[in-house]
């Protein structure tokens, strides 16, 4: 029940921001600021970069709030998606021509797995990282943004300044290319 109340409050605050209520932006910061900042810290290489990104996040929320549609997405999920998009933009800017996903896609150790199962998972993740690096940078970025950072096709279209259909096609083609590399097909 408490989560639903919080979600309704967040939705109402986003609608007030869309109506240009500056106090509502302060309320988002007070209600969700710690969680949004923590996600930036998790996604970006260091706290200073996360702090700088957070300073950009509030004006971004201010600009994008009129596009929020409660029929399509929960308010908190919408906020987290803005955080992820911003983090990906920062990572892309830092990496230049290199893939923004940086060193490797990581996996979390699972204490319920045996050592042999953990080694197998480590091997599988390594194969995925190696295969991703054989793809063109934009294709690998789109796959990681879509399936690791859980961005929607709409978010990717906005991030890459392309149509949703074009991004959807590129994600499908990149997925096919990745699957081909992983299965060893010619």
């Amino acid at each position: 029940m408490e989560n639903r109340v919080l979600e309704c409050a967040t939705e109402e605050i986003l609608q007030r921001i869309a109506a240009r209520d500056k106090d509502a932006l302060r309320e988002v910061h007070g209600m969700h600021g710690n969680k949004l900042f923590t996600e930036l810290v998790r996604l970006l290489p260091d706290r200073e970069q996360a702090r700088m990104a957070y300073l950009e996040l509030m004006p971004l929320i201010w600009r994008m709030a009129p596009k929020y549609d409660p029929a399509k997405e929960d308010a908190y999920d919408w906020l987290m998606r803005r955080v992820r998009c911003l983090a990906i933009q920062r990572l892309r800017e830092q990496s230049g021509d290199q893939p923004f996903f940086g060193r490797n896609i990581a996996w979390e150790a699972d204490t319920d797995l045996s050592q042999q199962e953990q080694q197998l998972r480590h091997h599988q993740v390594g194969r995925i990282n190696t295969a991703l690096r054989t793809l063109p940078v934009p294709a690998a970025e789109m796959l990681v943004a879509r399936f690791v950072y859980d961005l929607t096709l709409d978010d990717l279209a906005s991030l890459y300044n392309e149509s949703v259909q074009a991004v959807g096609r590129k994600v499908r083609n990149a997925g096919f290319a990745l699957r081909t590399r992983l299965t060893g097909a010619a």
Side-chain angles (χ1 to χ4, degrees), residues 96-181:
D97 290 337
Q98 299 302 309
F100 76 84
F101 49 87
R103 296 172 298 279
N104 281 312
I105 294 174
W107 61 281
E108 295 183 15
D110 185 345
T111 56
D112 294 334
L113 297 178
S114 69
Q115 181 153 355
Q116 184 179 8
E117 291 168 324
Q118 286 185 27
Q119 287 173 343
L120 177 61
R121 180 179 285 177
H122 181 73
H123 172 73
Q124 291 167 336
V125 171
R127 287 188 62 229
I128 291 169
N129 281 314
T130 300
L132 275 171
R133 292 187 191 307
T134 67
L135 298 178
V137 170
E141 283 183 351
M142 285 186 182
L143 282 176
V144 171
R146 178 76 179 101
F147 298 109
V148 175
Y149 292 108
D150 196 29
L151 295 182
T152 65
L153 292 177
D154 288 333
D155 290 330
L156 286 171
S158 173
L159 191 62
Y160 286 91
N161 199 23
E162 296 187 28
S163 72
V164 173
Q165 294 79 15
V167 168
R169 224 177 4 264
K170 289 180 178 182
V171 168
R172 280 190 301 279
N173 290 342
F176 178 76
L178 181 64
R179 185 172 37 256
T180 300
R181 284 165 175 78

Coordinates of all heavy atoms in Angstrom, one line a residue, residues 96-181:
G96 N 34.6 8.3 -26.3 CA 34.9 8.6 -27.7 C 34.5 7.6 -28.7 O 33.3 7.2 -28.7
D97 N 35.4 7.0 -29.4 CA 35.0 5.9 -30.4 C 35.0 4.5 -29.8 O 34.7 3.6 -30.5 CB 36.1 5.9 -31.5 CG 35.9 7.2 -32.4 OD1 34.8 7.8 -32.4 OD2 36.9 7.5 -33.1
Q98 N 35.3 4.4 -28.5 CA 35.3 3.1 -27.9 C 33.9 2.8 -27.3 O 33.1 3.8 -27.1 CB 36.3 3.1 -26.7 CG 37.7 3.3 -27.1 CD 38.1 2.3 -28.1 OE1 38.0 1.1 -27.9 NE2 38.7 2.7 -29.2
P99 N 33.5 1.6 -27.2 CA 32.2 1.3 -26.7 C 32.0 1.8 -25.3 O 32.9 1.7 -24.5 CB 32.2 -0.3 -26.6 CG 33.2 -0.7 -27.6 CD 34.3 0.4 -27.6
F100 N 30.8 2.5 -25.0 CA 30.6 3.1 -23.7 C 30.5 2.1 -22.6 O 30.7 2.5 -21.5 CB 29.4 4.0 -23.8 CG 28.1 3.2 -23.7 CD1 27.6 2.8 -22.5 CD2 27.4 2.9 -24.9 CE1 26.4 2.1 -22.4 CE2 26.2 2.2 -24.8 CZ 25.7 1.8 -23.6
F101 N 30.3 0.8 -22.9 CA 30.1 -0.1 -21.8 C 31.4 -0.4 -21.2 O 31.5 -1.2 -20.2 CB 29.3 -1.3 -22.2 CG 29.8 -2.0 -23.5 CD1 30.8 -2.9 -23.5 CD2 29.2 -1.7 -24.7 CE1 31.2 -3.5 -24.6 CE2 29.7 -2.3 -25.9 CZ 30.7 -3.2 -25.8
G102 N 32.5 0.2 -21.7 CA 33.8 0.2 -21.0 C 34.5 -1.2 -20.9 O 34.5 -1.9 -21.9
R103 N 35.0 -1.5 -19.7 CA 35.8 -2.7 -19.6 C 35.0 -4.0 -19.9 O 35.3 -4.7 -20.9 CB 36.4 -2.7 -18.2 CG 37.3 -1.5 -17.9 CD 37.7 -1.5 -16.5 NE 36.6 -1.3 -15.6 CZ 36.0 -0.1 -15.3 NH1 36.5 1.0 -15.9 NH2 35.0 0.0 -14.5
N104 N 34.0 -4.3 -19.2 CA 33.3 -5.5 -19.4 C 31.9 -5.3 -18.7 O 31.7 -4.6 -17.8 CB 34.0 -6.7 -18.7 CG 35.1 -7.2 -19.6 OD1 34.9 -7.4 -20.8 ND2 36.2 -7.4 -18.9
I105 N 31.0 -6.1 -19.2 CA 29.7 -6.2 -18.6 C 30.0 -7.1 -17.4 O 30.6 -8.2 -17.5 CB 28.6 -6.8 -19.5 CG1 28.3 -5.9 -20.6 CG2 27.4 -7.2 -18.7 CD1 27.4 -6.4 -21.6
A106 N 29.6 -6.7 -16.2 CA 29.9 -7.5 -15.0 C 28.8 -8.5 -14.7 O 27.7 -8.4 -15.2 CB 30.1 -6.5 -13.9
W107 N 29.1 -9.4 -13.8 CA 28.1 -10.3 -13.3 C 28.3 -10.4 -11.8 O 29.4 -10.2 -11.3 CB 28.2 -11.7 -13.9 CG 29.5 -12.4 -13.7 CD1 30.7 -12.2 -14.3 CD2 29.8 -13.4 -12.7 NE1 31.7 -12.9 -13.8 CE2 31.1 -13.7 -12.8 CE3 29.0 -14.0 -11.7 CZ2 31.7 -14.7 -12.0 CZ3 29.6 -14.9 -10.9 CH2 30.9 -15.3 -11.1
E108 N 27.3 -10.5 -11.1 CA 27.4 -10.6 -9.6 C 27.5 -12.0 -9.2 O 26.8 -12.9 -9.7 CB 26.1 -9.9 -9.0 CG 26.0 -8.5 -9.3 CD 24.9 -7.8 -8.6 OE1 24.3 -8.4 -7.7 OE2 24.5 -6.7 -9.0
A109 N 28.4 -12.2 -8.2 CA 28.6 -13.6 -7.7 C 27.3 -14.0 -7.0 O 26.7 -13.2 -6.3 CB 29.8 -13.6 -6.7
D110 N 27.0 -15.2 -7.1 CA 25.8 -15.8 -6.5 C 26.3 -16.9 -5.6 O 26.8 -17.9 -6.0 CB 24.9 -16.4 -7.6 CG 23.5 -16.9 -7.0 OD1 23.4 -17.1 -5.8 OD2 22.6 -17.1 -7.8
T111 N 26.1 -16.7 -4.3 CA 26.6 -17.6 -3.3 C 25.9 -19.0 -3.3 O 26.4 -19.9 -2.8 CB 26.5 -17.0 -1.8 OG1 25.1 -16.7 -1.6 CG2 27.4 -15.8 -1.7
D112 N 24.7 -19.0 -4.0 CA 24.0 -20.3 -4.1 C 24.6 -21.2 -5.2 O 24.2 -22.4 -5.2 CB 22.5 -20.0 -4.4 CG 21.8 -19.3 -3.2 OD1 22.3 -19.5 -2.1 OD2 20.8 -18.6 -3.5
L113 N 25.5 -20.7 -6.0 CA 26.1 -21.5 -7.0 C 27.3 -22.1 -6.5 O 28.1 -21.6 -5.8 CB 26.4 -20.6 -8.3 CG 25.3 -19.9 -9.0 CD1 25.8 -19.0 -10.1 CD2 24.3 -20.9 -9.5
S114 N 27.6 -23.3 -7.1 CA 28.8 -24.0 -6.7 C 30.0 -23.3 -7.4 O 29.8 -22.5 -8.3 CB 28.8 -25.5 -7.2 OG 28.8 -25.5 -8.6
Q115 N 31.2 -23.6 -7.1 CA 32.3 -23.0 -7.7 C 32.4 -23.3 -9.2 O 32.7 -22.4 -10.0 CB 33.6 -23.5 -7.1 CG 34.8 -22.8 -7.7 CD 36.0 -22.7 -6.8 OE1 35.9 -23.0 -5.6 NE2 37.1 -22.2 -7.3
Q116 N 32.0 -24.5 -9.6 CA 32.0 -24.9 -11.0 C 30.9 -24.1 -11.7 O 31.2 -23.6 -12.8 CB 31.7 -26.4 -11.1 CG 31.7 -26.9 -12.6 CD 31.5 -28.4 -12.7 OE1 31.1 -29.0 -11.7 NE2 31.7 -28.9 -13.8
E117 N 29.8 -23.9 -11.1 CA 28.7 -23.1 -11.8 C 29.1 -21.6 -11.9 O 28.9 -21.0 -12.9 CB 27.4 -23.2 -11.0 CG 26.8 -24.5 -11.0 CD 25.6 -24.7 -10.0 OE1 25.7 -24.2 -8.9 OE2 24.7 -25.4 -10.4
Q118 N 29.8 -21.1 -10.9 CA 30.3 -19.7 -11.0 C 31.4 -19.6 -12.1 O 31.4 -18.6 -12.8 CB 30.9 -19.3 -9.6 CG 29.8 -19.0 -8.6 CD 30.4 -18.5 -7.3 OE1 31.4 -17.8 -7.3 NE2 29.7 -18.7 -6.2
Q119 N 32.2 -20.6 -12.2 CA 33.2 -20.5 -13.3 C 32.5 -20.6 -14.6 O 33.0 -19.9 -15.6 CB 34.2 -21.7 -13.1 CG 35.2 -21.5 -12.0 CD 36.0 -22.8 -11.8 OE1 35.7 -23.9 -12.3 NE2 37.1 -22.6 -11.1
L120 N 31.5 -21.4 -14.8 CA 30.7 -21.5 -16.0 C 30.1 -20.1 -16.3 O 30.2 -19.6 -17.4 CB 29.7 -22.5 -15.9 CG 28.8 -22.7 -17.2 CD1 29.6 -23.0 -18.4 CD2 27.7 -23.7 -16.9
R121 N 29.5 -19.5 -15.3 CA 28.9 -18.1 -15.5 C 30.0 -17.1 -15.9 O 29.7 -16.4 -16.9 CB 28.2 -17.7 -14.3 CG 27.5 -16.3 -14.5 CD 26.8 -15.8 -13.3 NE 25.6 -16.5 -13.1 CZ 24.7 -16.3 -12.1 NH1 25.0 -15.5 -11.2 NH2 23.6 -17.0 -12.1
H122 N 31.1 -17.2 -15.3 CA 32.2 -16.3 -15.6 C 32.6 -16.5 -17.1 O 32.8 -15.5 -17.8 CB 33.4 -16.5 -14.7 CG 34.5 -15.6 -14.9 ND1 34.5 -14.2 -14.6 CD2 35.7 -15.8 -15.5 CE1 35.7 -13.7 -15.0 NE2 36.4 -14.6 -15.5
H123 N 32.7 -17.7 -17.5 CA 33.1 -18.0 -18.9 C 32.0 -17.5 -19.8 O 32.3 -16.9 -20.9 CB 33.2 -19.5 -19.0 CG 33.4 -20.0 -20.4 ND1 34.6 -19.8 -21.1 CD2 32.6 -20.6 -21.3 CE1 34.5 -20.2 -22.3 NE2 33.3 -20.8 -22.5
Q124 N 30.7 -17.7 -19.5 CA 29.7 -17.3 -20.4 C 29.7 -15.7 -20.5 O 29.5 -15.2 -21.6 CB 28.3 -17.7 -19.9 CG 28.1 -19.2 -20.0 CD 26.9 -19.7 -19.2 OE1 26.5 -19.1 -18.2 NE2 26.4 -20.9 -19.6
V125 N 29.8 -15.0 -19.4 CA 29.9 -13.6 -19.5 C 31.1 -13.1 -20.3 O 31.0 -12.2 -21.1 CB 29.8 -13.0 -18.1 CG1 30.1 -11.5 -18.1 CG2 28.5 -13.3 -17.4
G126 N 32.2 -13.8 -20.1 CA 33.4 -13.5 -20.9 C 33.1 -13.6 -22.4 O 33.5 -12.8 -23.2
R127 N 32.4 -14.7 -22.8 CA 32.1 -14.9 -24.2 C 31.2 -13.8 -24.7 O 31.4 -13.3 -25.9 CB 31.4 -16.3 -24.4 CG 32.3 -17.5 -24.3 CD 31.6 -18.8 -24.7 NE 31.2 -18.7 -26.0 CZ 30.0 -19.1 -26.5 NH1 29.1 -19.5 -25.6 NH2 29.7 -19.0 -27.8
I128 N 30.2 -13.4 -23.9 CA 29.3 -12.3 -24.3 C 30.1 -11.0 -24.5 O 30.0 -10.3 -25.5 CB 28.2 -12.1 -23.3 CG1 27.2 -13.3 -23.4 CG2 27.4 -10.8 -23.6 CD1 26.2 -13.3 -22.2
N129 N 31.0 -10.7 -23.6 CA 31.8 -9.5 -23.7 C 32.7 -9.5 -25.0 O 32.8 -8.5 -25.7 CB 32.7 -9.3 -22.5 CG 32.0 -8.7 -21.3 OD1 31.2 -7.7 -21.5 ND2 32.1 -9.3 -20.1
T130 N 33.3 -10.7 -25.2 CA 34.1 -10.8 -26.4 C 33.3 -10.6 -27.7 O 33.7 -9.9 -28.6 CB 34.8 -12.2 -26.4 OG1 35.6 -12.3 -25.2 CG2 35.7 -12.4 -27.6
A131 N 32.2 -11.3 -27.7 CA 31.3 -11.1 -28.9 C 30.8 -9.7 -29.1 O 30.7 -9.2 -30.2 CB 30.1 -12.1 -28.8
L132 N 30.5 -9.0 -28.0 CA 30.0 -7.6 -28.1 C 31.1 -6.8 -28.7 O 30.8 -5.9 -29.5 CB 29.7 -7.1 -26.7 CG 28.3 -7.3 -26.2 CD1 28.1 -6.9 -24.7 CD2 27.2 -6.6 -27.1
R133 N 32.4 -7.0 -28.4 CA 33.5 -6.2 -28.9 C 33.7 -6.4 -30.4 O 34.4 -5.6 -31.0 CB 34.7 -6.5 -28.1 CG 34.6 -6.0 -26.7 CD 35.9 -6.0 -25.9 NE 35.7 -5.8 -24.5 CZ 35.1 -4.7 -23.9 NH1 34.6 -3.8 -24.7 NH2 35.0 -4.6 -22.6
T134 N 33.1 -7.5 -31.0 CA 33.3 -7.7 -32.4 C 32.2 -6.9 -33.2 O 32.3 -6.8 -34.4 CB 33.2 -9.2 -32.8 OG1 31.9 -9.7 -32.5 CG2 34.2 -10.0 -32.0
L135 N 31.2 -6.4 -32.5 CA 30.1 -5.7 -33.2 C 30.5 -4.2 -33.4 O 31.4 -3.7 -32.7 CB 28.8 -5.7 -32.3 CG 28.2 -7.0 -32.0 CD1 27.0 -6.9 -31.1 CD2 27.8 -7.7 -33.3
P136 N 29.9 -3.6 -34.4 CA 30.2 -2.1 -34.5 C 29.8 -1.5 -33.2 O 28.8 -1.9 -32.5 CB 29.3 -1.7 -35.6 CG 29.0 -3.0 -36.4 CD 29.1 -4.1 -35.4
V137 N 30.4 -0.4 -32.8 CA 30.2 0.3 -31.5 C 28.7 0.7 -31.3 O 28.2 0.3 -30.3 CB 31.1 1.5 -31.3 CG1 30.8 2.3 -30.1 CG2 32.6 1.0 -31.2
P138 N 28.1 1.3 -32.3 CA 26.7 1.7 -32.0 C 25.8 0.5 -31.8 O 24.9 0.5 -30.9 CB 26.3 2.4 -33.3 CG 27.5 2.9 -33.9 CD 28.5 1.9 -33.6
A139 N 26.0 -0.6 -32.5 CA 25.2 -1.8 -32.3 C 25.4 -2.4 -30.9 O 24.4 -2.8 -30.2 CB 25.6 -2.9 -33.3
A140 N 26.7 -2.5 -30.4 CA 26.9 -3.0 -29.1 C 26.3 -2.1 -28.1 O 25.7 -2.5 -27.1 CB 28.4 -3.2 -28.9
E141 N 26.5 -0.8 -28.3 CA 25.9 0.2 -27.3 C 24.4 0.0 -27.2 O 23.8 0.0 -26.1 CB 26.2 1.6 -27.8 CG 27.6 2.1 -27.5 CD 27.8 3.5 -27.9 OE1 26.9 4.1 -28.5 OE2 28.8 4.0 -27.5
M142 N 23.7 -0.1 -28.3 CA 22.3 -0.3 -28.3 C 21.8 -1.5 -27.6 O 20.9 -1.5 -26.8 CB 21.7 -0.2 -29.7 CG 21.7 1.1 -30.3 SD 20.8 1.1 -31.9 CE 21.0 2.8 -32.4
L143 N 22.5 -2.6 -27.8 CA 22.2 -3.9 -27.1 C 22.4 -3.7 -25.6 O 21.5 -4.1 -24.8 CB 23.1 -5.0 -27.6 CG 22.7 -5.6 -29.0 CD1 23.7 -6.7 -29.4 CD2 21.3 -6.2 -28.9
V144 N 23.5 -3.2 -25.2 CA 23.7 -3.0 -23.8 C 22.7 -2.0 -23.2 O 22.2 -2.3 -22.1 CB 25.2 -2.5 -23.5 CG1 25.4 -2.2 -22.1 CG2 26.2 -3.6 -23.9
A145 N 22.5 -0.9 -23.8 CA 21.5 0.0 -23.3 C 20.1 -0.6 -23.2 O 19.4 -0.4 -22.2 CB 21.5 1.3 -24.2
R146 N 19.7 -1.4 -24.2 CA 18.4 -2.0 -24.2 C 18.3 -3.1 -23.2 O 17.3 -3.1 -22.4 CB 18.1 -2.5 -25.6 CG 16.8 -3.2 -25.8 CD 15.6 -2.1 -25.8 NE 14.4 -2.8 -26.0 CZ 13.5 -3.0 -25.0 NH1 13.8 -2.6 -23.8 NH2 12.4 -3.6 -25.2
F147 N 19.2 -4.0 -23.1 CA 19.0 -5.2 -22.3 C 19.8 -5.2 -21.0 O 19.4 -6.0 -20.1 CB 19.4 -6.4 -23.1 CG 18.5 -6.5 -24.3 CD1 19.0 -6.3 -25.6 CD2 17.1 -6.8 -24.2 CE1 18.1 -6.4 -26.7 CE2 16.3 -6.9 -25.3 CZ 16.8 -6.7 -26.6
V148 N 20.8 -4.4 -20.8 CA 21.5 -4.3 -19.5 C 20.9 -3.2 -18.7 O 20.6 -3.3 -17.6 CB 23.0 -4.2 -19.7 CG1 23.7 -4.0 -18.4 CG2 23.6 -5.4 -20.4
Y149 N 20.8 -2.0 -19.4 CA 20.3 -0.8 -18.7 C 18.8 -0.7 -18.8 O 18.2 0.2 -18.2 CB 21.0 0.5 -19.2 CG 22.4 0.5 -18.8 CD1 23.4 0.4 -19.8 CD2 22.8 0.8 -17.5 CE1 24.8 0.4 -19.5 CE2 24.2 0.8 -17.2 CZ 25.1 0.6 -18.2 OH 26.5 0.7 -17.8
D150 N 18.2 -1.6 -19.5 CA 16.7 -1.7 -19.6 C 16.0 -0.4 -20.2 O 15.0 0.0 -19.7 CB 16.1 -2.0 -18.2 CG 14.7 -2.5 -18.3 OD1 14.3 -3.1 -19.3 OD2 13.9 -2.3 -17.3
L151 N 16.7 0.2 -21.2 CA 16.1 1.4 -21.8 C 15.1 0.9 -22.8 O 15.2 -0.1 -23.5 CB 17.1 2.2 -22.5 CG 18.2 2.9 -21.6 CD1 19.1 3.7 -22.4 CD2 17.5 3.8 -20.5
T152 N 14.0 1.7 -23.0 CA 13.0 1.4 -24.0 C 13.5 1.8 -25.4 O 14.4 2.6 -25.5 CB 11.7 2.1 -23.7 OG1 11.9 3.5 -23.8 CG2 11.1 1.8 -22.3
L153 N 12.8 1.4 -26.4 CA 13.1 1.8 -27.7 C 12.9 3.3 -27.9 O 13.7 4.0 -28.6 CB 12.3 1.1 -28.8 CG 12.7 -0.4 -28.9 CD1 11.7 -1.1 -29.9 CD2 14.1 -0.6 -29.3
D154 N 11.9 3.9 -27.2 CA 11.7 5.3 -27.2 C 12.9 6.1 -26.6 O 13.3 7.1 -27.2 CB 10.4 5.7 -26.4 CG 9.1 5.3 -27.1 OD1 9.1 5.2 -28.4 OD2 8.1 5.1 -26.4
D155 N 13.4 5.5 -25.5 CA 14.6 6.2 -24.9 C 15.8 6.1 -25.8 O 16.5 7.1 -26.0 CB 14.9 5.5 -23.6 CG 13.9 5.8 -22.5 OD1 13.3 6.9 -22.5 OD2 13.7 4.9 -21.6
L156 N 16.0 5.0 -26.4 CA 17.1 4.8 -27.4 C 16.9 5.7 -28.6 O 17.9 6.3 -29.0 CB 17.2 3.4 -27.8 CG 17.8 2.4 -26.8 CD1 17.7 1.0 -27.3 CD2 19.2 2.7 -26.5
A157 N 15.7 5.9 -29.1 CA 15.5 6.8 -30.2 C 15.8 8.2 -29.8 O 16.5 8.9 -30.6 CB 14.0 6.7 -30.7
S158 N 15.5 8.6 -28.6 CA 15.8 9.9 -28.2 C 17.3 10.1 -28.0 O 17.9 11.1 -28.4 CB 15.1 10.2 -26.8 OG 15.5 11.4 -26.3
L159 N 17.9 9.1 -27.4 CA 19.4 9.1 -27.2 C 20.2 9.2 -28.5 O 21.2 9.9 -28.6 CB 19.8 7.8 -26.4 CG 21.1 7.8 -25.8 CD1 21.4 8.9 -24.8 CD2 21.3 6.4 -25.1
Y160 N 19.8 8.4 -29.5 CA 20.5 8.4 -30.8 C 19.9 9.3 -31.8 O 20.4 9.3 -33.0 CB 20.5 6.9 -31.3 CG 21.5 6.1 -30.5 CD1 21.0 5.3 -29.4 CD2 22.8 6.0 -30.9 CE1 21.9 4.5 -28.7 CE2 23.7 5.2 -30.1 CZ 23.2 4.5 -29.1 OH 24.1 3.7 -28.4
N161 N 18.8 10.0 -31.5 CA 18.2 11.0 -32.4 C 17.8 10.3 -33.7 O 18.1 10.7 -34.8 CB 19.1 12.2 -32.7 CG 18.4 13.3 -33.2 OD1 17.2 13.5 -33.0 ND2 19.1 14.2 -33.9
E162 N 17.1 9.2 -33.5 CA 16.6 8.4 -34.6 C 15.1 8.0 -34.3 O 14.7 8.1 -33.2 CB 17.4 7.1 -34.9 CG 18.8 7.4 -35.2 CD 19.6 6.1 -35.6 OE1 18.9 5.2 -36.1 OE2 20.8 6.1 -35.4
S163 N 14.5 7.5 -35.4 CA 13.1 7.0 -35.1 C 13.1 5.7 -34.3 O 14.0 5.0 -34.3 CB 12.4 6.8 -36.5 OG 12.9 5.6 -37.1
V164 N 11.9 5.5 -33.7 CA 11.8 4.3 -32.9 C 11.9 3.0 -33.8 O 12.5 2.0 -33.4 CB 10.4 4.3 -32.1 CG1 10.2 2.9 -31.4 CG2 10.4 5.4 -31.1
Q165 N 11.3 3.1 -35.0 CA 11.4 2.0 -35.9 C 12.8 1.7 -36.3 O 13.3 0.5 -36.4 CB 10.5 2.3 -37.2 CG 9.1 2.3 -36.9 CD 8.6 3.7 -36.3 OE1 9.3 4.7 -36.3 NE2 7.4 3.7 -35.7
A166 N 13.6 2.8 -36.6 CA 15.0 2.6 -37.0 C 15.8 2.0 -35.9 O 16.6 1.0 -36.1 CB 15.6 3.9 -37.5
V167 N 15.6 2.4 -34.7 CA 16.3 1.9 -33.5 C 15.9 0.4 -33.3 O 16.8 -0.4 -33.0 CB 16.1 2.8 -32.3 CG1 16.6 2.1 -31.0 CG2 16.8 4.1 -32.4
G168 N 14.6 0.1 -33.4 CA 14.1 -1.2 -33.2 C 14.8 -2.2 -34.2 O 15.2 -3.3 -33.9
R169 N 14.9 -1.7 -35.5 CA 15.6 -2.5 -36.5 C 17.0 -2.7 -36.2 O 17.5 -3.9 -36.3 CB 15.4 -1.8 -37.8 CG 15.1 -2.6 -39.0 CD 14.9 -1.9 -40.3 NE 15.1 -0.5 -40.4 CZ 14.2 0.5 -40.2 NH1 12.9 0.2 -40.0 NH2 14.5 1.8 -40.3
K170 N 17.7 -1.7 -35.7 CA 19.1 -1.8 -35.4 C 19.3 -2.7 -34.2 O 20.3 -3.5 -34.2 CB 19.7 -0.4 -35.1 CG 19.9 0.4 -36.4 CD 20.5 1.8 -36.1 CE 20.6 2.5 -37.4 NZ 21.2 3.8 -37.2
V171 N 18.5 -2.7 -33.2 CA 18.6 -3.6 -32.0 C 18.4 -5.0 -32.5 O 19.1 -5.9 -32.1 CB 17.6 -3.1 -30.9 CG1 17.5 -4.2 -29.8 CG2 18.0 -1.8 -30.3
R172 N 17.4 -5.3 -33.3 CA 17.1 -6.6 -33.8 C 18.3 -7.1 -34.6 O 18.8 -8.3 -34.4 CB 15.8 -6.7 -34.6 CG 14.6 -6.7 -33.8 CD 13.4 -7.0 -34.7 NE 13.2 -6.1 -35.7 CZ 12.6 -4.9 -35.6 NH1 12.2 -4.5 -34.4 NH2 12.4 -4.0 -36.6
N173 N 18.8 -6.3 -35.5 CA 20.0 -6.7 -36.3 C 21.2 -7.0 -35.4 O 22.0 -7.9 -35.6 CB 20.3 -5.7 -37.3 CG 19.3 -5.6 -38.4 OD1 18.5 -6.5 -38.6 ND2 19.2 -4.5 -39.1
A174 N 21.4 -6.1 -34.4 CA 22.6 -6.3 -33.5 C 22.4 -7.6 -32.7 O 23.4 -8.3 -32.5 CB 22.7 -5.1 -32.6
G175 N 21.2 -7.8 -32.2 CA 20.9 -9.1 -31.5 C 21.2 -10.3 -32.3 O 21.7 -11.3 -31.9
F176 N 20.8 -10.2 -33.6 CA 21.0 -11.4 -34.5 C 22.5 -11.6 -34.7 O 23.0 -12.7 -34.7 CB 20.3 -11.1 -35.8 CG 20.6 -12.2 -36.8 CD1 19.9 -13.4 -36.7 CD2 21.5 -12.0 -37.9 CE1 20.2 -14.5 -37.6 CE2 21.8 -13.0 -38.8 CZ 21.1 -14.3 -38.7
A177 N 23.2 -10.5 -34.9 CA 24.7 -10.5 -35.1 C 25.4 -11.1 -33.9 O 26.3 -12.0 -34.0 CB 25.3 -9.2 -35.4
L178 N 24.9 -10.7 -32.7 CA 25.5 -11.2 -31.4 C 25.2 -12.7 -31.3 O 26.1 -13.5 -30.9 CB 25.0 -10.4 -30.2 CG 25.5 -10.8 -28.9 CD1 27.0 -10.6 -28.8 CD2 24.8 -10.1 -27.8
R179 N 24.0 -13.1 -31.5 CA 23.6 -14.5 -31.4 C 24.4 -15.3 -32.4 O 24.9 -16.4 -32.1 CB 22.1 -14.6 -31.7 CG 21.6 -16.0 -31.5 CD 20.1 -16.1 -31.6 NE 19.4 -15.3 -32.6 CZ 18.8 -14.1 -32.3 NH1 18.6 -13.7 -31.1 NH2 18.2 -13.4 -33.3
T180 N 24.6 -14.8 -33.6 CA 25.4 -15.5 -34.6 C 26.9 -15.7 -34.1 O 27.4 -16.8 -34.2 CB 25.4 -14.7 -35.9 OG1 24.1 -14.6 -36.4 CG2 26.3 -15.4 -37.0
R181 N 27.4 -14.7 -33.5 CA 28.8 -14.8 -33.0 C 28.9 -15.8 -31.9 O 29.9 -16.5 -31.7 CB 29.3 -13.4 -32.6 CG 29.8 -12.6 -33.9 CD 29.9 -11.1 -33.5 NE 30.4 -10.3 -34.6 CZ 29.7 -9.9 -35.6 NH1 28.4 -10.2 -35.7 NH2 30.3 -9.1 -36.5

